Amino acid sequence: GVNFAHRYFEGTTVVKRMIADGTLGGIHSMRVRFGVDYTNNTRSWIYKKDLAGGGTFFDTASHGLDLYRFLIGEIDRVYAVSRQTQASPEVEDLGAWIVESNATPAFGLLESDWPTPGADYGWSVHGSNGAAYADYELPGIRYRLKGETEWSVIDLPATSVGDRFTHAIADFLQCIDSGETPIATGRDGLRSLEIIEAAYRSAESGCAVECGE
């Protein structure tokens, strides 16, 4: 298994079901915004290219691309840009991607950065019949459907955001016992690396890069 813990967030399960049953209509876009505050982070190794391999593309955007793959579809094309602030001379600490899938018209906008005071963590899915938002500061799913003027909220346990890690570990242990396939597989981890490598090539060239299987 691979610790793509956002797959195990209860809100992800809720929105995946809303997509599958047509509640949101035909999906046309997804936005993931994972902004974290690493300005006083004690994990100094994440800023070292020889130790971490890369910056926010590896650390943060990897989870955004996996959410897109899990909820929307396989990523076949990526256009990425990256920046480095003075706090991160070796690796990128700001990044944004546009991703596309040949299987669906829905594109994804993935934002990932480290110098975000107070953090800004969440994502949204937009369709022809409505939109659903997951804000990790507010453990619930907010959605509004076509023709409605008010937002509705699907309440989740207050611990649901943090519980995603517990659920990921429980799934891994269960699969060891049962021989079943985990929700996030080794293949998912490999695809993530392939897409991240394509994103780096895109950021270097300034062009979209094909990364389909």
Side-chain angles (χ1 to χ4, degrees), residues 1 8 165-180 182:
Y8 296 89
F165 299 106
T166 305
H167 296 324
I169 294 170
D171 180 53
F172 180 68
L173 294 175
Q174 170 64 26
C175 290
I176 291 175
D177 287 339
S178 66
E180 297 175 354

Side-chain angles (χ1 to χ4, degrees), residues 24-139:
L24 300 179
I27 305 303
H28 55 67
S29 64
M30 178 178 186
R31 182 193 180 199
V32 180
R33 167 71 181 162
F34 285 163
V36 296
D37 187 356
Y38 280 175
T39 52
N40 296 311
N41 198 305
T42 58
R43 299 183 301 163
S44 59
W45 59 267
I46 68 171
Y47 291 98
K48 304 295 184 181
K49 189 171 184 178
D50 60 337
L51 296 177
T56 187
F57 279 19
F58 272 112
D59 177 73
T60 316
S62 58
H63 293 285
L65 75 86
D66 183 69
L67 266 176
Y68 178 93
R69 291 184 64 241
F70 188 60
L71 292 175
I72 308 299
E74 187 55 78
I75 293 174
D76 295 294
R77 196 171 304 102
V78 58
Y79 173 73
V81 295
S82 66
R83 299 289 185 272
Q84 293 172 235
T85 67
Q86 291 182 346
S88 183
E90 294 188 24
V91 297
E92 77 287 349
D93 58 351
L94 297 167
W97 305 11
I98 294 176
V99 297
E100 294 180 297
S101 171
N102 293 337
T104 171
F107 65 88
L109 173 60
L110 315 180
E111 301 172 76
S112 60
D113 61 68
W114 290 345
T116 302
D120 181 11
Y121 231 67
W123 48 269
S124 57
V125 175
H126 305 262
S128 59
N129 196 51
Y133 288 78
D135 182 340
Y136 284 21
E137 294 294 318
L138 304 170

Side-chain angles (χ1 to χ4, degrees), residues 10 136-140 155-163:
E10 291 178 60
Y136 284 21
E137 294 294 318
L138 304 170
D155 292 321
L156 298 173
T159 59
S160 61
V161 173
D163 285 346

Side-chain angles (χ1 to χ4, degrees), residues 161-208:
V161 173
D163 285 346
R164 68 188 191 272
F165 299 106
T166 305
H167 296 324
I169 294 170
D171 180 53
F172 180 68
L173 294 175
Q174 170 64 26
C175 290
I176 291 175
D177 287 339
S178 66
E180 297 175 354
T181 300
I183 293 174
T185 68
R187 178 60 185 165
D188 292 314
L190 176 60
R191 277 299 292 152
S192 175
L193 288 174
E194 292 170 346
I195 296 165
I196 290 169
E197 288 177 350
Y200 277 116
R201 294 196 301 272
S202 173
E204 290 178 1
S205 68
C207 301

